[in-house]
């Protein structure tokens, strides 16, 4: 009952209602569901393999005293593969009181969006807290800007990177993100990039775990400002490292700018037709063609 995959629900209903059908139709219904589950499991295995490869690289880097994981790193200053995942969480309303007294319950609270980027190898997640005064939506420009800010300030400076994102065309699975990763390899900010998506409906991964713990702590804590939300999120887990990054303040002061990446990249790239069919993308600086 907790399965949110529409394909799974459709296939399961078809199997349950096939009692009076022929054996061939029953077998066909089961095979359709088996193929879907096999594909979802294969995508999950690829994600786990990339996380394991990233962890091995990180362990090799931290075995030397020269590498400092929590300092700012220059692009391509570290040889190896590191994997990242990112996703949005549901908005947090504040001020918030766990006891919900009547006068507060019926007020319209202020909204704060959360965008989390997780490096599974450390593990460390940076949660961008986006107050409604600086919120520009969850489109491609905003999402790319947050990922770009993360790589510039919290990335490990790896030569080869992997990214996993939620299977949403408006935020992550769109031509503009493809163009952005092409731009990074052309500028040699990375030598190669892998961009993968889990099967729709089976997209639970590291950011969901971290964001779930953070929202659970916030729901049990009295918070009255962005600063208290940030303190609560950073103390929400004893395992791993959580960083709360304010994108702006209540008065509109901006800390993480949102750039117009769509207008900037559009003159130099072409759109991929029917992009929703694809789940894996590869970018390499060695494949560039100078004209």
């Amino acid at each position: 009952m907790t399965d949110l995959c529409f394909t799974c629900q459709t296939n399961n209903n078809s199997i349950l209602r096939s009692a009076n059908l022929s054996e061939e139709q029953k077998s066909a219904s089961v095979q359709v569901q088996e193929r879907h589950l096999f594909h979802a499991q294969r995508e999950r295995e690829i994600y786990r393999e990339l996380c394991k490869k990233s962890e091995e690289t990180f362990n090799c880097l931290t075995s030397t005293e020269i590498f400092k994981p929590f300092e700012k790193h220059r692009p391509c200053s570290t040889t190896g593969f590191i994997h990242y995942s990112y996703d949005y969480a549901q908005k947090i309303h504040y001020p918030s009181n766990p006891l919900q007294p009547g006068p507060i319950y019926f007020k319209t609270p202020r909204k704060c969006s959360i965008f989390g980027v997780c490096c599974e190898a450390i593990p460390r997640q940076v949660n961008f807290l986006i107050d409604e005064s600086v919120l520009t939506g969850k489109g491609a420009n905003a999402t790319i800007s947050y990922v770009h800010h993360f790589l510039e300030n919290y990335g490990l400076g790896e030569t080869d990177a992997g990214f996993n994102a939620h299977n949403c065309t408006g935020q992550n699975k769109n031509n503009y993100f493809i163009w952005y990763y092409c731009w990074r390899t052309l500028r040699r900010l990375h030598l190669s990039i892998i961009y993968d998506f889990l099967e729709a409906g089976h997209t639970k991964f590291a950011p969901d775990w971290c964001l779930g713990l953070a929202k659970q702590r916030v729901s049990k804590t009295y918070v009255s400002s962005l600063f208290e939300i940030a303190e609560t999120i950073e103390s929400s887990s004893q395992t791993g490292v959580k960083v709360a990054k304010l994108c702006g303040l209540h008065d509109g002061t901006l800390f993480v700018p949102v750039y117009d990446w769509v207008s900037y990249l559009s003159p130099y790239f072409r759109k991929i037709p029917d992009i929703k069919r694809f789940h894996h993308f590869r970018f390499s600086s060695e494949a560039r063609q100078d004209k």
Side-chain angles (χ1 to χ4, degrees):
M1 296 300 293
T2 59
D3 193 352
L4 301 178
C5 178
F6 179 75
T7 303
C8 283
Q9 293 179 3
T10 303
N11 293 337
N12 289 335
N13 289 334
S14 177
I15 294 173
L16 291 174
R17 296 174 181 176
S18 63
N20 298 325
L21 300 179
S22 64
E23 295 298 328
E24 291 78 8
Q25 291 174 312
K26 292 180 182 179
S27 177
S29 299
V30 173
Q31 289 176 3
V32 169
Q33 177 66 345
E34 287 180 343
R35 286 195 297 268
H36 172 71
L37 293 178
F38 174 79
H39 183 67
Q41 181 63 27
R42 180 53 185 156
E43 298 291 343
R44 178 68 57 182
E45 291 174 356
I46 293 174
Y47 170 70
R48 290 173 178 170
E49 290 171 1
L50 294 176
C51 291
K52 182 178 180 181
K53 181 180 178 181
S54 176
E55 186 176 352
E56 292 173 352
T57 301
F58 181 75
N59 292 335
C60 292
L61 293 173
T62 53
S63 61
T64 63
E65 297 182 356
I66 301 176
F67 182 77
K68 306 297 182 182
F70 299 109
E71 294 182 356
K72 189 174 180 179
H73 299 83
R74 293 182 295 103
C76 292
S77 60
T78 304
T79 303
F81 175 85
I82 297 295
H83 189 268
Y84 304 98
S85 302
Y86 49 85
D87 194 15
Y88 280 97
Q90 292 182 348
K91 295 179 180 178
I92 290 178
H93 297 82
Y94 71 98
S96 174
N97 189 336
L99 300 178
Q100 287 188 346
I104 292 180
Y105 180 80
F106 290 101
K107 293 292 184 180
T108 301
R110 197 175 182 89
K111 300 178 181 64
C112 175
S113 298
I114 304 179
F115 179 74
V117 185
C118 180
C119 177
E120 291 92 344
I122 297 179
R124 175 180 66 181
Q125 176 155 320
V126 176
N127 297 292
F128 291 88
L129 304 182
I130 315 161
D131 184 72
E132 62 180 32
S133 62
V134 295
L135 179 65
T136 59
K138 296 182 179 180
N141 282 330
T143 309
I144 294 173
S145 296
Y146 301 143
V147 173
H148 181 74
H149 183 89
F150 173 88
L151 294 174
E152 291 291 315
N153 296 275
Y154 301 99
L156 301 183
E158 66 283 342
T159 55
D160 308 294
F163 296 91
N164 257 88
H166 195 275
N167 219 319
C168 178
T169 55
Q171 300 169 5
N172 313 310
K173 197 175 186 179
N174 51 57
N175 286 279
Y176 312 119
F177 245 114
I178 302 300
W179 297 348
Y180 170 70
Y181 288 134
C182 285
W183 175 81
R184 290 195 67 87
T185 54
L186 290 172
R187 293 289 304 273
R188 292 190 177 275
L189 301 176
H190 281 106
L191 299 185
S192 68
I193 293 176
I194 300 174
Y195 194 28
D196 299 323
F197 297 90
L198 295 170
E199 185 70 16
H202 300 267
T203 55
K204 296 296 183 182
F205 56 158
D208 293 317
W209 168 64
C210 296
L211 291 170
L213 291 175
K215 294 198 68 176
Q216 186 178 16
R217 176 63 67 86
V218 171
S219 65
K220 298 179 180 179
T221 307
Y222 177 83
V223 293
S224 59
S225 67
L226 278 173
F227 304 103
E228 292 183 357
I229 293 177
E231 293 175 0
T232 304
I233 289 178
E234 290 185 346
S235 62
S236 61
S237 176
Q238 300 298 326
T239 59
V241 180
K242 290 189 178 181
V243 179
K245 175 63 179 178
L246 297 180
C247 294
L249 298 180
H250 313 78
D251 58 0
T253 303
L254 190 64
F255 297 141
V256 180
V258 174
Y259 302 106
D260 189 1
W261 290 96
V262 175
S263 300
Y264 174 66
L265 298 173
S266 294
Y268 308 105
F269 298 95
R270 292 181 298 178
K271 291 186 176 181
I272 301 175
D274 201 8
I275 193 174
K276 292 194 294 184
R277 294 192 303 111
F278 304 102
H279 282 71
H280 304 278
F281 300 88
R282 302 290 186 270
F283 312 89
S284 175
S285 61
E286 298 178 356
R288 59 183 294 178
Q289 296 180 357
D290 297 324
K291 294 184 180 181

